Amino acid sequence: MTTSVGNPGSTTAEYKRSPSHFTDRITADGADGWPVEAGRYRLVVSRACPWASRALVVRRLLGLEDAISLAVTDPLQDERSWRFTLDPDGRDPVLGIAFLGEAYAAREPGYDGGISVPAIVDVPSGVLVTNDYPRITLDLATEWTALHRDGAPDLYPEPLRDEIDEVMEDVYRNLNNGVYLAGFAKSERAYERAYRNLFACWDRLSERLAGRRYLVGDTITEADVRLFTTLVRFDAVYHNHFKCNRNKLTEDPVLWAYARDLFQTPGFGDTVDFDHIKRHYYQVHTDINPTQIVPLGPDPSGWLTPHHREELGGRPFGDGTPPGPPPAAEEIPARGRADAGSGA
């Protein structure tokens, strides 16, 4: 998610997402100059951002908390970029910076492009390594294997990669990014096109998941992670704020049960902060919500209700095991958890 105050995108009627500018990779062989190394890198995220949330989930599932440290930004950014105002003295305690943009400037002096999360920063130099969100999670799954926890799942199994990639492309084009195409559209025609493509994809996914527990194979894969981070924001934000209002997630029996199944799986729901999510979208996108009023609902406690998806079989972690509880410092504050109620 790129820093923006107001309605981001181009001046054309259709919203255009900017590609990642810094695409170096951290690999086992260090081919791009960035070798996998425990403790060297810091993952910077906003819990509000669906793209950053992918990295949060994957890091938890693979047990990489001790290998790559975590910095969480304030959900409200300003024109200077994502801020570390949640930390003492308004600075990240490891990187020593007040704004993520400082790491971007250290990488490329004079850089004036978007400042996006997730981002990985080299701690010794303070230089940004990558903001390539689609690649970050795939590399955590495939290049960081020497540092995975015992029992870590294979989120990108080689025999299924073609199918996973195909499903993820449909999900990205029409749903992950589709909600933004609808929400930031500047003409009725652009909005309606995005809306129709979004819900056509929605219906394909609902049909696909009616008889199978997960999107590809019988275990959780990267495809499920990428779909989850959009679905968990849908009723709280996208349905109303982005006008994706044909139906709510809670009104689709298949996708609602699927999303609850994942939410209740260790590594998913324990990374979700509904407070950060709502405050970011409703208070930062002032072109869409000029009053900056944050709705109290919907009541998130429904995420904890029985889903019965286990009746479809499947093995969430394959031959592996669930991750343990999150580190105490990374627990979601009470006001952002699903057991916090609607705030009414």
Side-chain angles (χ1 to χ4, degrees):
M1 186 178 289
T2 302
T3 293
S4 176
V5 177
N7 188 347
S10 69
T11 57
T12 61
E14 184 174 285
Y15 169 67
K16 301 291 185 183
R17 181 170 298 281
S18 299
S20 301
H21 184 73
F22 300 99
T23 58
D24 286 2
R25 295 176 60 192
I26 301 170
T27 57
D29 63 6
D32 277 5
W34 304 104
V36 169
E37 184 179 327
R40 176 172 175 177
Y41 305 102
R42 192 151 173 85
L43 174 65
V44 181
V45 302
S46 163
R47 294 193 188 277
C49 171
W51 320 102
S53 290
R54 296 175 176 183
L56 280 171
V57 172
V58 168
R59 176 176 171 270
R60 282 274 294 120
L61 294 178
L62 300 178
L64 289 170
E65 292 96 329
D66 291 335
I68 180 167
S69 65
L70 182 68
V72 178
T73 68
D74 192 308
L76 305 182
Q77 78 266 58
D78 61 26
E79 69 279 358
R80 294 168 294 179
S81 81
W82 294 98
R83 312 176 296 176
F84 294 105
T85 48
L86 301 181
D87 294 304
D89 302 321
R91 290 188 175 273
D92 179 80
V94 174
L95 300 174
I97 57 177
F99 299 92
L100 177 57
E102 295 175 55
Y104 277 68
R107 169 67 185 269
E108 185 177 304
Y111 175 73
D112 61 357
I115 310 297
S116 66
V117 288
I120 296 181
V121 179
D122 178 51
V123 173
S125 66
V127 168
L128 176 79
V129 176
T130 177
N131 68 341
D132 190 5
Y133 65 91
R135 192 70 245 175
I136 285 173
T137 48
L138 293 180
D139 282 345
L140 290 177
T142 60
E143 298 290 334
W144 289 66
T145 53
L147 299 175
H148 288 182
R149 66 178 175 87
D150 291 339
D154 185 353
L155 298 177
Y156 197 47
E158 197 160 355
L160 299 177
R161 287 182 186 178
D162 287 346
E163 185 178 0
I164 291 171
D165 290 345
E166 181 181 358
V167 171
M168 291 195 304
E169 174 59 26
D170 186 28
V171 169
Y172 168 76
R173 183 182 302 277
N174 297 300
L175 200 62
N176 296 151
N177 197 48
V179 294
Y180 290 90
L181 293 175
F184 293 142
K186 296 178 181 177
S187 75
E188 187 70 26
R189 182 176 180 181
Y191 161 70
E192 291 183 4
R193 183 188 308 116
Y195 176 102
R196 292 191 179 99
N197 289 341
L198 187 158
F199 282 106
C201 176
W202 181 286
D203 291 341
R204 288 193 295 273
L205 292 168
S206 185
E207 181 179 0
R208 181 183 185 93
L209 289 164
R212 58 194 303 168
R213 191 170 180 184
Y214 303 111
L215 283 170
V216 181
D218 67 348
T219 65
I220 292 167
T221 67
E222 173 83 11
D224 297 294
V225 175
R226 296 189 181 192
L227 177 55
F228 171 79
T229 59
T230 292
L231 293 183
V232 79
R233 288 161 172 77
F234 198 84
D235 286 7
V237 176
Y238 303 142
H239 177 269
N240 176 41
H241 186 59
F242 279 176
K243 307 179 187 70
C244 301
N245 60 354
R246 189 194 73 176
N247 54 263
K248 296 178 180 178
L249 175 64
T250 54
E251 294 168 345
D252 185 301
V254 172
L255 289 183
W256 176 222
Y258 164 81
R260 296 201 317 278
D261 185 6
L262 291 177
F263 187 92
Q264 294 170 34
T265 298
F268 284 85
D270 53 32
T271 69
V272 174
D273 190 324
F274 288 108
D275 173 60
H276 277 208
I277 290 168
K278 291 198 297 183
R279 285 199 289 130
H280 171 78
Y281 282 94
Y282 286 102
Q283 292 188 296
V284 171
H285 300 156
T286 53
D287 282 8
I288 298 175
N289 185 40
T291 66
Q292 297 181 285
I293 293 172
V294 180
L296 289 175
D299 185 341
S301 61
W303 285 96
L304 303 177
T305 59
H307 53 78
H308 306 296
R309 292 281 293 181
E310 66 277 0
E311 296 172 8
L312 294 173
R315 302 174 301 145
F317 299 98
D319 294 329
T321 57
E330 297 181 15
E331 291 179 354
I332 303 300
R335 66 183 293 177
R337 296 200 306 260
D339 59 4
S342 65

